[in-house]
Amino acid sequence: ASPRSVMPSFPMLAAVEGGGTSFVVAIACGEPSNVIEREEFPTTTPEETIKRVTTWLSARHYDALGVATFGPVDLNTASPTYGFITTTPKPGWQHADVLGPLRAVRDVPFALDTDVNAPALAEFRHAKASGECLSSCAYVTVGTGIGVGLVMNGAPVHGMMHPEGGHVCVPLHEQDVQLSFNGSNRSDTFGGFCAESMACSVALAQRAGLASTSELKHTGDTHEMWDAAAHYLGALCANIILLVSPERIVMSGGVMLRKSLFPRIRAATQQHLNGYLQLPQLTTQAGIDKFIVPSAWGNDAGLMGALTLAQLAHEKARATSPQTACASWRLVSRDRPLLFLASASLLGAALGVALCSRIRR
């Protein structure tokens, strides 16, 4: 038999990040951070939005799919409504099947999680790849809503459903007591006195008397509204620490683009904990600066989460299927001298990496 050479084939990862404002779709080459194509569609009706996403996906090749969506979402694989959004307050999206139409586009390995669990997993895997010794990570996004994702012992937390930490009860800020501000949504948990209702972008805009959330970015750092935001987000972090004891809290979302919030939130977290936990990660400035941190990807954390789900699905498929593992190597030459073939294989691999890097966005 003639010798044959092979070169590695980089998996193409597809991602769908389903948000209440927009759906983002992307293709990455080899690694989640190596995005080569991306598109964004406004979230309208389930039928219209998902149709635009499936049309985009059907025109592209990919080897695995990751879906990270807003919720609540059914993550029970044995449930007849697996992959459905359930009791969301978003009009028209109650009991909408998100995963089914996406899976139908192409028969590839897939993974599904929430739009906060997925970036929590991405942040966790990123830290591990950087050599950090972590077993847990919490991810908090703060925008028009507040969500909390959790990774414990290396895996996203699901349980009965999935975490909904943005709706935990938080103590009122004295400013809100004086002004009788009761949050942006009195029908939320705890009569509206939860983290989301008190500190989402809508609540912050209402508290400051702004016409819309888009005006928040023009509000100076000294506005007292940001003190209230730090108070409630610090209370949320304290609740997370006391309940699940993560080794890191990563914060992202539109509101958290204001970097001046981070030191205020850290200080508020310490104040709420009131010295109860004597741990250097919480009691020292150097410790808490590394404990409550911004996302490595900023506002792309959700998309990186969905791509990480695709990467994980591809890895699992390769680990459980010899054919899939073998399929990741492609024949490139026959009946050639062995030295030439080896050189061609190495050159091809290098060109593949270079190509992915050059077209990265």
Side-chain angles (χ1 to χ4, degrees), residues 3 58 103 151 154-155 170 207 214 226 231 252 255 260 274 321 346:
S58 64
R103 285 186 62 187
V151 169
V170 288
R207 188 182 281 105
S214 63
W226 299 118
H231 167 86
S252 185
V255 170
S260 62
N274 200 28
S321 171
L346 291 172

Side-chain angles (χ1 to χ4, degrees), residues 275-316:
Y276 179 70
L277 299 175
Q278 289 295 307
L279 299 168
Q281 300 96 316
L282 304 175
T283 58
T284 69
Q285 194 61 53
I288 201 163
D289 285 349
K290 293 181 180 179
F291 178 74
I292 298 176
V293 299
S295 168
W297 298 286
N299 258 11
D300 283 334
L303 180 61
M304 289 300 108
L307 286 166
T308 298
L309 291 177
Q311 182 184 44
L312 187 61
H314 186 263
E315 290 172 356
K316 287 184 176 179

Side-chain angles (χ1 to χ4, degrees), residues 73 81 122 175-176 195 211 232 234 255 257 340 354:
V73 59
T81 56
Q175 175 190 123
D176 290 336
Y232 291 116
V255 170
L257 292 176
F340 170 78

Side-chain angles (χ1 to χ4, degrees), residues 8 30 62 80 94 101 130 153 169 203 206 249 266 312 336 338 343:
Y62 51 92
Q94 296 86 357
S130 301
N153 298 318
C169 190
Q206 289 178 358
I249 297 178
R266 293 173 184 130
L312 187 61
R336 298 288 189 273
L338 186 58
S343 300

Side-chain angles (χ1 to χ4, degrees), residues 5-10 314 318 322-332 345-346 349:
S5 77
V6 293
M7 65 174 286
S9 172
F10 300 96
H314 186 263
R318 289 188 62 181
Q323 288 98 349
T324 304
C326 292
S328 66
W329 295 84
R330 188 184 309 125
L331 294 176
V332 295
S345 178
L346 291 172

Side-chain angles (χ1 to χ4, degrees), residues 69-75 86 113-118 120 137-141 146-152 155-168 189 196 236 240 243-244:
T69 180
F70 72 95
V73 59
D74 188 348
L75 298 178
T86 59
D113 217 314
T114 67
D115 58 352
V116 282
N117 261 359
C137 177
Y139 172 85
V140 178
T141 183
I146 294 180
V148 177
L150 295 173
V151 169
M152 292 287 136
V157 173
H158 293 159
M160 181 172 60
M161 186 179 68
H162 52 75
E164 282 288 343
H167 300 272
V168 299
T189 56
E196 178 171 295
L236 173 58
I240 293 171
L243 187 62
V244 294

Side-chain angles (χ1 to χ4, degrees), residues 121-137:
L121 181 63
E123 297 285 353
F124 172 79
R125 285 168 65 97
H126 175 73
K128 294 284 285 185
S130 301
E132 297 188 57
C133 184
L134 297 180
S135 66
S136 59
C137 177

